[in-house]
Each structure stands twice: as C-alpha cells, then as structure tokens.
C-alpha cells in the first residue's frame, strides 16, 4: 500500500465525517423544531379544552330538559368526548351508532338518548 493511498483514504474519511456531522446537525435542528412545535400545540390544546369546557357547561341543563338524565357523578367525571357528543346532539345531529352524523329531522332519537344516558 502506497503512502499516497493512505492519505487519500484519510481525506475521504474526513469528508465523510464532515458530511455526517452536517447531517447530524440538521437532524438536531429538526428535532428542536419538532419539540418546540409539540410544546406550542400542547399549550394550544389546553387552552382549547378550557374553552370547550366553559362552552359545554350550559349544555348539561339542556340535555336534562330534553329528557337525558345525567347523573351527578357523570357531570363531574365526564370527559371531553361526552361533552362533544352532547354538543353535537344539541346541534341537531345523531350521535348513535345507527345514524351517526346524520341530521335529526324528527325530534329526539331514542338510540341517541340511550347513548347519552349511559
């Protein structure tokens, strides 16, 4: 093996290491951007949940007036999903598995009401 070949190989290895180092830096930058975006979206999600909870509180009396009995324990432990379904039902759409998403044209749906009473 010639001395010159050794130096050529070392130069090639240095170039490869430089390229890998640049790629590593780019990946690190992308990870930082993703972490920042994740944090920002988490904060935004919390704020939206607070707004949704504030908007959903008036819906419970309306559901009770419509005939849906909501137990006290359920009022305290209901999650966002239940609140969203109650809101969708109040807006006039089915939430039952039979007609989910279809417009309610004939008043209350027994399937939806039984689902809300669970």
């Amino acid at each position: 093996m010639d001395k010159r070949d050794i130096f050529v190989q070392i130069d090639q290895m240095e170039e490869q290491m430089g390229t890998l180092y640049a790629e590593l830096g780019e990946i690190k930058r992308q990870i930082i951007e993703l972490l920042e975006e994740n944090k920002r979206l988490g904060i935004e999600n919390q704020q939206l949940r607070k707004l949704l909870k504030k908007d959903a509180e008036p819906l419970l009396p309306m559901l009770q007036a419509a005939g849906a009995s909501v137990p006290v324990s359920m009022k305290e432990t209901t999650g966002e999903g239940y609140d969203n379904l109650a809101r969708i039902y109040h807006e006039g759409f089915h939430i039952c598995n039979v007609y989910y998403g279809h417009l309610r044209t004939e008043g209350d749906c027994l399937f939806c009401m039984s689902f809300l009473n669970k």
Side-chain angles (χ1 to χ4, degrees):
M1 189 173 231
D2 191 19
K3 293 179 187 179
R4 185 173 200 177
D5 290 339
I6 294 174
F7 283 115
V8 169
Q9 283 183 334
I10 291 176
D11 282 341
Q12 289 175 350
M13 287 175 56
E14 282 180 338
E15 288 177 22
Q16 289 174 351
M17 288 175 62
T19 303
L20 288 174
Y21 185 72
E23 289 176 12
L24 184 63
E26 179 63 24
I27 290 172
K28 184 179 176 182
R29 185 190 62 75
Q30 289 175 354
I31 289 173
I32 290 171
E33 286 178 5
L34 289 173
L35 290 173
E36 289 173 351
E37 181 181 16
N38 189 26
K39 183 66 174 176
R40 181 184 56 79
L41 290 173
I43 293 170
E44 183 178 351
N45 197 7
Q46 285 178 340
Q47 292 172 346
L48 289 173
R49 286 178 193 212
K50 286 178 186 175
L51 285 174
L52 183 62
K53 186 176 181 183
K54 205 183 301 182
D55 289 344
E57 286 174 358
L59 292 179
L60 288 176
M62 291 178 208
L63 285 174
Q64 288 173 339
S69 62
V70 182
V72 176
S73 62
M74 186 175 252
K75 290 179 197 173
E76 297 169 356
T77 60
T78 55
E80 302 165 32
Y82 182 85
D83 293 340
N84 287 338
L85 289 175
R87 180 182 48 81
I88 291 170
Y89 183 78
H90 178 68
E91 289 174 357
F93 294 94
H94 284 276
I95 60 168
C96 60
N97 61 342
V98 180
Y99 300 109
Y100 182 81
H102 290 92
L103 188 62
R104 286 188 297 118
T105 56
E106 299 178 9
D108 290 332
C109 170
L110 294 177
F111 296 118
C112 293
M113 296 303 287
S114 69
F115 185 77
L116 284 174
N117 287 332
K118 287 184 182 178

